[in-house]
Amino acid sequence: MLSGTESGAWAAPVPPASSQSHQSSPTARAQRDHSARALPAVSVFGVLPLLPGALFATAAPSPQVGSKGRREQPQWSPPAGSPPCKLRLYNSLTRSKDVFIPQHGKKVTWYCCGPTVYDASHMGHARSYISFDILRRVLRDYFGYDVFYCMNITDVDDKIIRRARQNYLFEQYREKQPPAAQLLDDVHAALKLFSVKLRETTDPDKKQMLERIQHAVKLAAEPLERAMQSDTGAAVTGQALLAEAKDLLSDWLDCALGSEVTDNSIFSQLPKFWEEEFHRDMEALNVLPPDVLTRVSEYVPEIVNFVQKIVDNGYGYASNGSVYFDTAKFASSERHSYGKLVPEAVGDQKALQEGEGDLSISADRLSEKRSPNDFALWKASKPGEPSWPCPWGKGRPGWHIECSAMAGTLLGASMDIHGGGFDLRFPHHDNELAQSEAYFENDCWVRYFLHTGHLTIAGCKMSKSLKNFITIKDALKKHSARQLRLAFLMHSWKDTLDYSSNTMESALQYEKFMNEFFLNVKDILRAPVDITGRFEKWEDEESELNESFYDKKAAVHEALCDNVDTRTVLEEMRALVSRCNLYMAARKAARRRPNRALLESIALYLTHMLTIFGAIEEESSLGFPVRGPGTSLDLESTVMPYLQVLSEFREGVRKIAREQKVPEVLQLSDALRDDILPELGVRFEDHEGLPTVVKLGDREALLREREEKRQVRPVFQAAKLAKMKIPPSEMFLSESDKYSKFDENGLPTHDTEGKELSKGRAKKLRKLFEAQEKLYKEYLQAVQTGSFQ
């Protein structure tokens, strides 16, 4: 039995003690070896070796001078250092950040509640599974833990049973192709049943949703009623009504005929289909598959044995073919505590009934319990439900017991981490804890309980029951898996995340910001240099950038130790890139190449971090990989040599066109850059006095950029023309709030207080003057050639 803590109190796991604790430590042995080398064993005559033990009888020499005056090594002291940052995770069992200590060295056992597969996976699923994927990758690839990740698939559940029956009965109904009159009668009967359901609904959001459905079906029925009166088009309008009224008719058919569905295979086809779709969605989101996947339907024998032992231990009881967990008996035990996660929710009958399932809260089922707080471990199957043989008669597993049995079978009596969505804390996870600790007779089935935050859509609650959800497939039509993951990374994994246009725009901007940095560094690294030229002398700017680099790495580490705070990590990474951009801009302004080795180190680090987070989906030597559409082709390495040749050829042509004053060729060169290459996902950036920068990007993004530039170009050109028209001798004269005296050329010489300008400031103004002088000459030439009207 694993116990040792006061009932209900959470205690951090204690790492196993070293089996070598009674022996000398490596540090002590090293110190003794060092002392032996520092004091040679010689006699007072300097010739004969000393007998064992005689060394300690001699006079001790001075720290640096031996017995014959020879100097010796001075004593060395290790640096004081600083205590390492420890990983802390927010533990729902304590509602605080606890130092993470696995029970067995670096091995981490982790169980995650998987989906109930009866419909399409939505962004709520993405919220949990992307967040846990990030945490799993960080623990494995950053902190170096050996993570064993287990996840379940719930393929036996009240929702699945009801949906499978409804789908089966509706398909049978549609295949019969009922006549228009029959269809109308059935729809009206279904509407009558639906009205009863609507009146009994108290939740305002759900009531509003049901009213919308009712209104839509009534509207769809009107054309069929008119068509029947005129005896035209009834077949077409009938199909439209059938599609609109599917939910109502399915529910009506299930109430009338659901008990006649007896084939167990009907209840397995639906979850099998949606499980396959779930795995495809996870793969599309770059979520790592679990190390082991369990399905309820495959673990029924283990579940039966699990339930039996709980009964044998005195915490369960059979009633009318079902088996219930005795919460009062469990809570009264000295070694146990019920409601560890949300004790304030114990007794919440609405939450408890939602946990039992729609098919399990009838009056006869509720009367079988000793207490309303008790929950089903095993449910006697009613007509129209799947069933398996067991000691209590034919039945099926309860919802909570499945996770306990499957996780207990694979992970044993105590696991390191259990994960799930925030809404599963009560009753699901509290009931899991109770029945598992009743089975193992311990108080530590889970050491760290992690719960991901809710997902809202533009501030509104997302729910399948409210039909207010966005499927993962629909989300991926608008944004890439990387963009969705970046949005999640920009928020804490345990807090509510709002999936909205603002959230995704922030993710898009972050991706663009990082990608531009990677493209700039790649361009710098492509510049040809000899081997020795790769290692350049560092100036103050490089030393300062490198110091900032190491400061940011330390900040990233601290943030990851602090409950895997990816939001802060991304902010620190952004700040590092901003610092690099300033450095590159300063080098460009000085017509100097940036230090390639330093920028490559920073870019590789950022690539490594984004890969750890799963934001870089495949192997990439540096930055975001560029793949050919629908292929695994590394587009960058394939086409870049050709683009580089094209860029150099274009630069040569432009140079000749400028020298020979052939504006038509320059216009063609600009058209290649601005109109043709973006269509191919290529961007050329021209910088005066420097080689053209060549970048591969997303075609759609480049086309959007082109359109934005076209919209602002007229305004920009007008502003540029206005600036070009100003003679350099007049450009500073209007700034009387800054300067009080000017020389004969119009250059400022004194500030507003009458003080002479410093040499540095005068030099900067001279550069601005010369730049304006150049612009003004271009304007005069354009006027002469008729380029400006």
Side-chain angles (χ1 to χ4, degrees), residues 673-719:
R673 178 195 63 203
D674 298 334
D675 301 326
I676 299 173
L677 290 178
E679 293 282 353
L680 303 174
V682 178
R683 187 200 298 159
F684 277 9
E685 295 178 357
D686 294 326
H687 301 281
E688 188 177 350
L690 293 172
T692 296
V693 176
V694 182
K695 296 179 179 178
L696 276 181
D698 177 69
R699 177 179 177 272
E700 297 303 320
L702 291 179
L703 293 181
R704 284 196 299 270
E705 283 182 10
R706 185 179 69 180
E707 187 60 30
E708 290 170 1
K709 287 179 181 178
R710 285 177 176 173
Q711 292 176 3
V712 302
R713 189 173 294 166
V715 178
F716 173 77
Q717 288 178 337

Side-chain angles (χ1 to χ4, degrees), residues 239-502:
Q239 290 299 315
L241 175 59
L242 193 63
E244 190 66 52
K246 179 183 177 182
D247 288 346
L248 269 72
L249 285 171
S250 297
D251 199 26
W252 175 70
L253 289 167
D254 187 48
C255 289
L257 306 171
S259 61
E260 300 176 11
V261 180
T262 57
D263 187 354
N264 261 17
S265 65
I266 293 172
F267 302 106
S268 63
Q269 292 170 3
L270 178 77
K272 182 179 179 181
F273 172 82
W274 288 116
E275 183 191 336
E276 290 177 356
E277 291 299 302
F278 169 77
H279 291 312
R280 289 192 182 97
D281 288 340
M282 292 301 104
E283 185 177 4
L285 291 172
N286 194 32
V287 171
L288 295 170
D291 294 308
V292 60
L293 184 86
T294 62
R295 299 179 184 89
V296 179
S297 60
E298 298 172 347
Y299 274 77
V300 172
E302 288 84 354
I303 292 172
V304 171
N305 292 335
F306 207 92
V307 172
Q308 184 63 63
K309 188 175 178 182
I310 292 174
V311 173
D312 294 343
N313 287 347
Y315 299 109
Y317 58 91
S319 178
N320 199 26
S322 296
V323 182
Y324 294 95
F325 188 82
D326 193 333
T327 54
K329 181 73 175 294
F330 181 80
S332 64
S333 171
E334 291 184 0
R335 69 178 69 187
H336 297 305
S337 177
Y338 180 62
K340 286 184 173 183
L341 292 166
V342 196
E344 62 271 23
V346 174
D348 183 341
Q349 292 305 305
K350 182 180 178 183
L352 287 167
Q353 289 182 18
E354 286 178 357
E356 292 294 81
D358 291 343
L359 303 179
S360 309
I361 55 172
S362 58
D364 57 329
R365 277 284 168 88
L366 294 174
S367 66
E368 295 172 355
K369 301 179 181 182
R370 294 177 182 173
S371 165
N373 294 341
D374 295 350
F375 55 90
L377 300 172
W378 185 265
K379 301 177 180 180
S381 291
K382 294 183 290 187
E385 297 178 2
S387 63
W388 289 265
C390 71
W392 314 283
K394 287 188 175 183
R396 57 190 176 91
W399 178 34
H400 315 300
I401 195 66
E402 63 184 54
C403 290
S404 292
M406 292 185 290
T409 299
L410 289 168
L411 305 180
S414 183
M415 70 183 76
D416 293 306
I417 297 175
H418 192 318
F422 184 82
D423 56 329
L424 295 180
R425 295 179 309 152
F426 185 88
H428 185 51
H429 286 158
D430 265 328
N431 288 351
E432 271 189 50
L433 283 166
Q435 63 199 11
S436 300
E437 291 174 357
Y439 175 91
F440 289 109
E441 283 288 14
N442 68 13
D443 195 37
C444 56
W445 187 58
V446 175
R447 298 293 189 166
Y448 300 84
F449 233 124
L450 311 184
H451 288 100
T452 56
H454 285 300
L455 181 128
T456 57
I457 298 179
C460 299
K461 177 184 175 183
M462 194 198 73
S463 169
K464 270 190 180 180
S465 63
L466 298 178
K467 297 187 180 297
N468 168 36
F469 65 93
I470 297 174
T471 67
I472 291 173
K473 284 183 173 58
D474 286 341
L476 286 172
K477 291 175 184 176
K478 295 182 178 180
H479 301 103
S480 69
R482 178 191 301 146
Q483 291 161 354
L484 292 173
R485 186 170 290 245
L486 286 172
F488 286 18
L489 284 163
M490 296 173 81
H491 296 78
S492 170
W493 59 268
K494 74 177 189 66
D495 295 338
T496 298
L497 184 147
D498 186 47
Y499 178 69
S500 63
S501 57
N502 289 338

Side-chain angles (χ1 to χ4, degrees), residues 27 110 355 373 493 504 509-510 596 602 630 685 767:
T27 304
W110 187 336
N373 294 341
W493 59 268
M504 293 313 303
Q509 292 302 320
Y510 191 91
R596 53 190 294 146
I602 295 173
E685 295 178 357
K767 286 185 177 180

Side-chain angles (χ1 to χ4, degrees), residues 17 43 66 96 135 176 206 225 272 315 346 382 405 465 467 485 493 514 524 542 571 582 596 645 677 681 712 769 775:
S43 70
S96 62
L135 290 173
K176 291 178 182 178
K206 190 171 184 179
E225 292 170 345
K272 182 179 179 181
Y315 299 109
V346 174
K382 294 183 290 187
S465 63
K467 297 187 180 297
R485 186 170 290 245
W493 59 268
M514 297 298 293
I524 291 168
E542 283 76 26
E571 289 173 355
L582 289 173
R596 53 190 294 146
V645 170
L677 290 178
V712 302
F769 182 89
L775 276 177

